[in-house]
C-alpha cells in the first residue's frame, strides 16, 4: 500500500502547494484525484513519485518511508511507475525504443519477454513498433506511455491525466486499459483526471483536492451519487 500522511510540499520554501494531504492506494485498486486547475494534483503525484520531497509528513510504501527515495530507485525496484502529464514519450524515438527505455533496468531476457507480453496486450504498439512516437495519435501515445511505465512490472502506477486531449472513444480505450491493469496485473493505480464522471466510473475510490487539501473523499460510486460532488465537479450531470 502507498500511504501519504499529512504531507506538506512545494517548489520553494516560502510556498506550500500541498498543505497536509492524507491518502492511500492499495493493490489492486484505482484511486482518482480530482480538483480544479492548480490545486496541487500533479504536485501530489510528483511527491509520491519522488521528484519532490515532502517538507512535512510521510510517504510510505507498505511500512517503509519512501519520502526521500528518488524516483529512479523506485522505478528500478519495480515499485512505482509514473506517467507525467506532459512529455511522457520520446517523440524522436521509435515505439520500440521508448518501450526498451522503460525496461532499461531489466535483464535482457526479462525485457524481451515483457515487451512481447505488452505487445500482446496493446497490438497497436506492435503494429507501429518501428514508427516514431511523434507520429502516433494522442490515444496511441497515451497507450505507449502507459506501456512504457509498465515495462518493469511496477506494483503501483501514477498517471497524470491519462485521458487529456482524447476523443470519447479513445478515452474509453485508455480507461479500459487501466481497468485491465488493475484486474489482470493487480496494479494499484493513482490517477489524476479532469474527466471526473468517466474517471469515477472506473475507480474504486476518489479524493477531491481543493487548494492543497483533501476536500472530499470516498467510494467512487458514492461520490458519483453525491449532490455536493455533482454540483461542484460534475456540472450538475445526472447519470
Ligand atoms: N515546477 C514548478 N515550480 C514552481 N511552481 C510550480 C511548479 N509546478 C507547479 N507549480 C505550482 O504549483 C501549483 C499547483 O500546480 P499543479 O501542477 O500541482 O496543479 P494541478 O492540480 O495539477 O493543475 P492542472 O489541473 O492544471 O494540471 C500551481 O500554483 C503551480 O503554479
Ligand atoms: Mg496537473
Amino acid at each position: 500500500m502507498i500511504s501519504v500522511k499529512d504531507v506538506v510540499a512545494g517548489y520553494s520554501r516560502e510556498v506550500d502547494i500541498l498543505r497536509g494531504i492524507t491518502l492511500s492506494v492499495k493493490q489492486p485498486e484505482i484511486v482518482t484525484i480530482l480538483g480544479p486547475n492548480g490545486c496541487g494534483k500533479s504536485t501530489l503525484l510528483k511527491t509520491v513519485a519522488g521528484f519532490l520531497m515532502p517538507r512535512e509528513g510521510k510517504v510510505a510504501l507498505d511500512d517503509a518511508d519512501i519520502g526521500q527515495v528518488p524516483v529512479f530507485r523506485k522505478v528500478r525496484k519495480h515499485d512505482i511507475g509514473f506517467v507525467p502529464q506532459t512529455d511522457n514519450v520520446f517523440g524522436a524515438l521509435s515505439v520500440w525504443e521508448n518501450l526498451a527505455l522503460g525496461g532499461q533496468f531489466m535483464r535482457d531476457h526479462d525485457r524481451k519477454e515483457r515487451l512481447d507480453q505488452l505487445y500482446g496486450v496493446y497490438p497497436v504498439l506492435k503494429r507501429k513498433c518501428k514508427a516514431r512516437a511523434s507520429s502516433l495519435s494522442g490515444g496511441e501515445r497515451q497507450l505507449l506511455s502507459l506501456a512504457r511505465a509498465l515495462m518493469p512490472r511496477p506494483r503501483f502506477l501514477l498517471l497524470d491525466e491519462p485521458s487529456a486531449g482524447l476523443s470519447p472513444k479513445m478515452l474509453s480505450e485508455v480507461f479500459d486499459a487501466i481497468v485491465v491493469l488493475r484486474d489482470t496485473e493487480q496494479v494499484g493505480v493513482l490517477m489524476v483526471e479532469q474527466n471526473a464522471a468517466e474517471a469515477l466510473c472506473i475507480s474504486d475510490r476518489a479524493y477531491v483536492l481543493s487548494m492543497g487539501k483533501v476536500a472530499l473523499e470516498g467510494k467512487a460510486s458514492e461520490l458519483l451519487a453525491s449532490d455536493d460532488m455533482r454540483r461542484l465537479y460534475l456540472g450538475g450531470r445526472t447519470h
Side-chain angles (χ1 to χ4, degrees):
M1 180 166 87
I2 291 179
S3 56
V4 172
K5 191 155 191 323
D6 300 326
V7 161
V8 175
Y11 299 90
S12 67
R13 287 203 165 278
E14 299 77 49
V15 186
D16 292 334
I17 304 293
L18 306 182
R19 301 189 301 137
I21 298 242
T22 297
L23 58 80
S24 64
V25 192
K26 294 186 212 63
Q27 223 188 335
E29 185 180 39
I30 299 175
V31 175
T32 290
I33 310 284
L34 303 168
N37 294 120
C39 70
K41 304 181 297 296
S42 296
T43 305
L44 172 63
L45 289 197
K46 285 187 259 180
T47 308
V48 175
F51 288 103
L52 273 180
M53 306 293 167
R55 220 190 318 277
E56 284 174 36
K58 192 167 158 184
V59 180
L61 180 63
D62 303 327
D63 293 328
D65 188 337
I66 56 164
Q68 309 299 320
V69 177
V71 67
F72 74 91
R73 280 227 184 92
K74 289 175 190 155
V75 173
R76 198 170 225 161
K77 284 188 63 205
H78 309 179
D79 288 328
I80 298 179
F82 176 45
V83 180
Q85 187 166 359
T86 51
D87 301 327
N88 50 24
V89 297
F90 295 101
L93 301 184
S94 70
V95 166
W96 176 82
E97 286 165 332
N98 269 277
L99 292 171
L101 266 181
Q104 62 182 308
F105 300 127
M106 302 166 79
R107 288 167 198 268
D108 287 352
H109 172 76
D110 196 21
R111 187 190 308 119
K112 190 176 174 312
E113 194 177 272
R114 181 62 165 164
L115 197 63
D116 286 342
Q117 193 181 16
L118 290 172
Y119 279 156
V121 182
Y122 307 113
V124 64
L125 298 182
K126 182 171 188 187
R127 258 195 334 272
K128 302 205 168 182
C129 67
K130 297 212 174 90
R132 275 187 186 218
S134 58
S135 72
L136 299 180
S137 75
E140 290 164 352
R141 217 176 292 190
Q142 288 297 0
L143 286 182
L144 174 58
S145 62
L146 198 63
R148 195 185 57 186
L150 287 172
M151 275 296 290
R153 299 188 182 86
R155 295 169 53 205
F156 292 93
L157 203 54
L158 313 174
L159 304 175
D160 200 342
E161 302 205 19
S163 77
L166 300 186
S167 67
K169 180 168 176 292
M170 277 303 213
L171 176 147
S172 74
E173 278 179 26
V174 169
F175 278 10
D176 285 351
I178 294 168
V179 170
V180 167
L181 274 183
R182 176 194 59 192
D183 297 344
T184 63
E185 302 218 353
Q186 313 293 304
V187 176
V189 177
L190 181 62
M191 76 173 178
V192 168
E193 261 301 330
Q194 297 287 356
N195 290 301
E198 292 81 358
L200 287 175
C201 283
I202 64 158
S203 298
D204 299 290
R205 294 185 300 115
Y207 296 83
V208 181
L209 302 194
S210 171
M211 297 194 297
K213 292 191 167 181
V214 175
L216 271 176
E217 64 177 281
K219 282 191 181 164
S221 54
E222 287 169 10
L223 286 176
L224 260 175
S226 115
D227 287 342
D228 279 353
M229 188 66 196
R230 269 216 295 277
R231 186 166 43 78
L232 289 172
Y233 299 101
L234 301 178
R237 180 199 301 226
T238 52
H239 52 92

